[in-house]
Amino acid sequence: MNTRYRKTIIAGNWKMNKTLTETRAFAEELKPILGRPKWCEVVLCVPFVNLQAAGRLFKDAKVSIGAENCHYESSGAFTGEVSAEMLKDLGVKYVVIGHSERRQYYNETDFTVNKKVKAALDNGLRPIVCVGESLEQRELGVTLELITYQVKCALAGVPAEKMRHVVFAYEPIWAIGTGKTATAQEAQEVCQTIRTIIRKLYGARVARAVTIQYGGSMNAANAYELLSQPDIDGGLIGGASLKADQLVEIVNAANQE
Ligand code: PEP
């Protein structure tokens, strides 16, 4: 982390978990133990149907609300989809774009990721752009090339002045929901590469201000070491973000720096 130049962001990705009733119970449990973290922003990315309630439930807490996806068009005949404009109108601040589960199960491509990133930014949302390699790609030794390609595609046509709203999440697919975590060195190498690509595209000032998270089985036990790396500015957290006490332990690890 480098809190001098950029914001540390601890974001929970709830995926398709928690009913409205469970979201209410989580808020009751989280708020008294979270306090008001000084060095990091806490974000909860929740299912569409609970966004509005989450906004109300966490209004008096230091928690921002995010969605887990959006469509790239602002309106039209796209049954079942939700636009960035609709999210903004609900008071949502962040949106996860290109999560590997969406790439794997819903045909998300680098091309649609790019369109969604631009739609999010055009509507005043902060995209959390997920990139990451599969185990086969890591074993083939093409991780950094792949990440370079994904980051360049995601940012095509994004102007420098909007870059301060963009967050990247490096999420090795083999580490998501598996209990396997990248070592701090592996995660740092890729996060540093992401920053280098941004520097080549936009210059050093822009690059040093971009928040780059690590995601993939981050938990209370490994968070501090990961977050101590110079280019890891937070976490995108699935499983551990579903338990209020575990999320707070990760936030506390981010606040120790
Ligand atoms: C994720 O959903 O983005 C994620 C990193 O999940 P987990 O923390 O459960 O690996």
Side-chain angles (χ1 to χ4, degrees):
M1 298 189 310
N2 186 332
T3 49
R4 183 159 165 224
Y5 292 119
R6 48 195 177 256
K7 193 183 262 184
T8 301
I9 302 173
I10 300 295
N13 172 24
W14 279 5
K15 315 191 187 200
M16 195 173 72
N17 288 299
K18 292 203 191 287
T19 61
L20 175 56
T21 310
E22 289 165 340
T23 304
R24 276 201 201 103
F26 182 93
E28 304 257 295
E29 199 187 335
L30 181 75
K31 285 195 278 186
I33 56 174
L34 179 66
R36 304 194 75 75
K38 201 165 164 203
W39 299 114
C40 74
E41 180 171 1
V42 180
V43 182
L44 287 176
C45 301
V46 308
F48 287 137
V49 289
N50 290 329
L51 283 169
Q52 199 171 10
R56 270 199 310 270
L57 288 164
F58 291 101
K59 209 176 171 163
D60 53 346
K62 233 182 137 193
V63 175
S64 305
I65 302 302
E68 300 175 13
N69 179 36
C70 69
H71 199 275
Y72 48 80
E73 294 292 348
S74 48
S75 62
F78 301 99
T79 303
E81 291 290 325
V82 173
S83 72
E85 189 183 348
M86 292 170 184
L87 296 176
K88 182 67 184 174
D89 194 49
L90 280 185
V92 168
K93 184 169 174 189
Y94 288 86
V95 58
V96 177
I97 304 283
H99 191 281
S100 61
E101 287 152 16
R102 294 215 56 90
R103 293 179 190 250
Q104 187 180 349
Y105 304 129
Y106 303 102
N107 302 322
E108 194 85 81
T109 65
D110 291 305
F111 184 60
T112 56
V113 166
N114 174 246
K115 294 214 275 190
K116 290 181 178 195
V117 167
K118 289 190 282 195
L121 291 169
D122 287 348
N123 285 283
L125 295 173
R126 298 196 65 184
I128 300 177
V129 188
C130 301
V131 294
E133 81 287 3
S134 66
L135 189 57
E136 290 84 346
Q137 288 161 335
R138 176 157 282 270
E139 285 171 355
L140 278 175
V142 297
T143 298
L144 298 184
E145 285 88 342
L146 179 85
I147 298 292
T148 302
Y149 176 79
Q150 290 179 331
V151 171
K152 283 188 172 173
C153 287
L155 294 177
V158 173
E161 65 273 15
K162 291 207 171 154
M163 281 303 292
R164 71 198 154 93
H165 302 299
V166 175
V167 176
F168 272 95
Y170 165 53
E171 297 212 305
I173 298 169
W174 48 271
I176 297 178
T178 58
K180 285 186 203 148
T181 318
T183 64
Q185 291 68 34
E186 285 168 338
Q188 162 61 21
E189 182 187 34
V190 178
C191 291
Q192 184 180 34
T193 299
I194 295 172
R195 201 175 307 286
T196 303
I197 301 158
I198 298 171
R199 194 178 64 235
K200 285 186 185 153
L201 293 172
Y202 297 99
R205 264 238 310 261
V206 169
R208 78 179 178 200
V210 173
T211 296
I212 303 174
Q213 302 171 312
Y214 166 78
S217 299
M218 190 186 263
N219 57 38
N222 59 32
Y224 182 75
E225 197 190 349
L226 287 159
L227 294 169
S228 302
Q229 302 302 309
D231 288 291
I232 302 180
D233 311 309
L236 183 58
I237 298 136
S241 75
L242 295 168
K243 296 260 172 13
D245 55 345
Q246 290 183 24
L247 181 64
V248 168
E249 284 194 54
I250 297 172
V251 170
N252 290 344
N255 271 309
Q256 277 178 45
E257 274 290 288

